[in-house]
Structures are given as C-alpha cells and as structure tokens.
C-alpha cells in the first residue's frame, strides 16, 4: 500500500543520473501519483525541453512539468526567494502534494513551504556516489551513472567510411580498442568470403540488411560510442559500380541509418589486393563519389589521411574535436 497520495520531486536533472533515479523511484514506490518539476534554470547548459524528455522517457507514469520562467536559485539572491518558489509551485502543480522527496537540504524548507512531509533519500550520496557536476566534467568517464534514457540520447555512432583498401577495418578496430567501445564489422566481407568474391546483384540487398541488423544488435548496448565499419551508402555506390543498378531497398536503409559522424578515409594508403577488392585503379574516383554522397546528404564528416600510426592519431583527434563540439557541458 502506498504511504502518500501525491509526491513531489524537484530537480535540474542536468543530466538525469542514477542518483536522481533512486530519488524518483522512491517517490513512485511511496506515492499513488508523482509530480516531477524540471527546473527551468537561467543559462542552462542543457535545454529544459531535453531534460524533460529524459525524465518523461525514464518515468512515463509520472507527471513532468516545468515553470514558465527561470527562478532564483539561492535565498541570497532575493529576500522573497521562498515566496517566489512557493507561489510558483502552488500555481504549477495540479493539486497539493503530501510529500516532498529530496536528497538536498533545501528539500526540508521546500516541504514546509508546501505544507508537505519531507522524505530525505540518500542525502549523503552513499548509495549513488555521483553528482551532475562530476558527470558534466567527465561525461565518458562517468557514463555508467547516466540514466538509460540519457545514455540512449547522448550515445554517438561513428562510421569509418570510404573507398576500398584505405584501412577502414583496421582503423575501426583500433579506435574501438583505444576507446574500449564496441564496433560493427563490415557485413559485406562475410558474403564476399562465402562466394569467393563472385557476388551478384541480389547479394547487395542481403549485405545492406545484414549490416543494418548487426548495427541494431550493437545498439542494444548502452555504451557512449559505437564504431561502424562502412555503411549503406557504400553499398549503394558499389551496387551501381558493379551492376549498373541498385535495389530501392538500399535507399530505405540509408534513410534508417542514424550515424552522428563519418570518418572519410583518403586513398593515400598503398593498394593491397585481396578477395574483397575490385577496382585498384578507380579509388580516387570512388573517394570523390563517397564525399559527394556525404555532402549531398548533409552528413557531418572529416577526411582522414596519414600512414600507419599517423592515420590513427588523426582519426582520434578528429573524434575528440567532434565530441567536444556535441558535448557542450
């Protein structure tokens, strides 16, 4: 049986993490209904709409709200601090609350202002030793503390892409090893091996579908990065190059790809012949075609050049630059 009819949780959730989850879950366990107010803070590093989306995805049974305007964050800012917050919340909440659930000391005064009981949850942060500040300072290092909804939203998929014999498979594995993240192999290699290099037009659809399935399986993991060796655009180009046509299915799978960043490998590596390669004299043309597709589709990409270790170093620097641009907090 629930102890309270209505419960209330206030937070910035910037970002939503395991400590917040402990707090909210306790409220849900104790209350028939729970209101969560996501603080609409001034100069926010993560937009309030995105933070609300995380909370709603993680807790679909709770009512998630936010105030219309930013409010003062500390009583030192104005003598009317508590009056402002009390009036705002009483206007915002659909009904009075019976209990305020908090892990910060301000929750005691907030509960008093709302004429509710205070329930403190892990105030010493012993159960979940993390803070949003620490996460923002080291997102990848503290990734495990993020709520699953946040992990899914912030995860980045990086595609290693380009002509044949440019080191895509090697670089994909190197990057995955360096970052200790999963990667998806090029599915076409399995089909080519099974047919001893003699593939047909119908195989292109099989390649695209198989590669997409491998990516979807890998995305079931909640790691911050996933590296993928080639994509469906490459299958489109090769289908036209080898057979002069393409299945409409390929374009469908290109549209379903959700890659955040492409590493387009240049043809500055020497050609190495094997069963998976077909056009030793057309790599420069194929490179231009690869880049034209990225530009046409407005993909975020960088061209990676360099021999041996320099290629890996350049790729790593490019990834670090990309991540610093998308993780602004």
């Amino acid at each position: 049986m629930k102890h309270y009819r209505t419960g209330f949780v206030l937070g910035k959730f910037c970002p939503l993490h395991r400590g917040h989850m402990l707090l909210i879950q306790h409220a849900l366990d104790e209350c028939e209904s729970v209101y969560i107010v996501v603080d609409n803070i001034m100069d926010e590093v993560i937009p309030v709409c995105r933070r609300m989306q995380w909370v709603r995805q993680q807790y679909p049974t709770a009512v998630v709200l936010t105030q219309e305007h930013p409010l003062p964050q500390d009583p030192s800012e104005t003598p009317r601090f508590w009056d402002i917050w009390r009036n705002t919340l009483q206007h915002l909440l659909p009904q009075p609350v019976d209990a305020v659930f908090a892990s910060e000391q301000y929750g005691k005064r907030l509960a008093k202002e709302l004429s509710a009981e205070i329930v403190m949850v892990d105030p010493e942060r012993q159960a979940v030793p993390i803070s949003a500040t620490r996460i923002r300072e080291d997102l990848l290092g503290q990734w495990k503390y993020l709520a699953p909804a946040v992990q899914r939203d912030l995860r980045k998929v990086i595609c290693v892409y380009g002509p044949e014999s440019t080191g895509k498979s090697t670089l994909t594995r190197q990057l995955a090893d360096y970052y200790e993240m999963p990667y998806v192999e090029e599915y076409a290699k399995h089909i080519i091996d099974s047919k001893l290099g003699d593939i047909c037009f119908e195989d292109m659809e099989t390649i695209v579908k198989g590669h997409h399935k491998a990516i979807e399986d890998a995305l079931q993991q909640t790691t911050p990065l996933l590296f993928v060796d080639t994509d469906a655009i490459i299958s489109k180009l090769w289908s036209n190059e080898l057979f002069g046509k393409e299945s409409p299915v390929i374009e469908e799978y290109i549209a379903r790809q959700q890659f955040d960043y492409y590493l387009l490998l240049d043809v500055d590596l020497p050609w190495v012949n094997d069963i998976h390669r077909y056009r030793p004299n057309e790599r420069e043309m194929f490179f231009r075609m690869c880049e034209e597709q990225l530009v046409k589709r407005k993909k975020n990409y960088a061209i990676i050049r360099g021999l041996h270790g320099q290629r890996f170093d350049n790729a790593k620097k490019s990834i670090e630059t990309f991540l610093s641009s998308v993780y602004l907090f």
Side-chain angles (χ1 to χ4, degrees), residues 183-252:
Y183 71 95
V184 176
E185 295 180 333
E186 182 184 10
Y187 190 81
K189 289 184 177 180
H190 303 295
I191 304 300
I192 294 171
D193 285 340
S194 68
K195 296 207 164 188
L196 301 178
D198 187 21
I199 61 173
C200 63
F201 174 69
E202 288 70 25
D203 291 326
M204 302 308 297
E205 186 172 319
T206 302
I207 289 170
V208 169
K209 290 181 177 180
H211 197 51
H212 185 79
K213 175 64 165 56
I215 295 169
E216 289 294 299
D217 290 345
L219 287 174
Q220 297 306 306
Q221 305 178 64
T222 55
T223 55
L225 298 175
L226 173 66
F227 294 95
V228 179
D229 182 356
T230 73
D231 75 339
I233 296 175
I234 295 295
S235 296
K236 173 188 177 74
L237 295 176
W238 274 114
S239 183
N240 283 287
E241 176 70 14
L242 295 176
F243 308 109
K245 59 182 179 177
E246 64 183 82
S247 166
V249 168
I250 295 181
E251 196 63 43
E252 292 176 16

Side-chain angles (χ1 to χ4, degrees), residues 112-131:
K112 182 178 178 181
E113 294 293 331
L114 296 178
S115 300
E117 186 175 332
I118 180 63
V119 180
M120 297 298 292
V121 180
D122 195 27
E124 303 299 327
R125 292 179 180 166
Q126 294 182 341
V128 185
I130 195 60
S131 69

Side-chain angles (χ1 to χ4, degrees), residues 47-73:
V48 67
C49 58
R50 193 174 193 183
R51 291 181 280 125
M52 291 179 71
Q53 181 184 39
W54 290 338
V55 178
R56 283 174 174 155
Q57 288 179 351
Q58 198 67 48
Y59 299 102
T61 62
V63 178
V64 182
L65 307 164
T66 189
Q67 75 271 24
E68 185 176 356
H69 303 291
L71 300 182
Q73 296 294 300

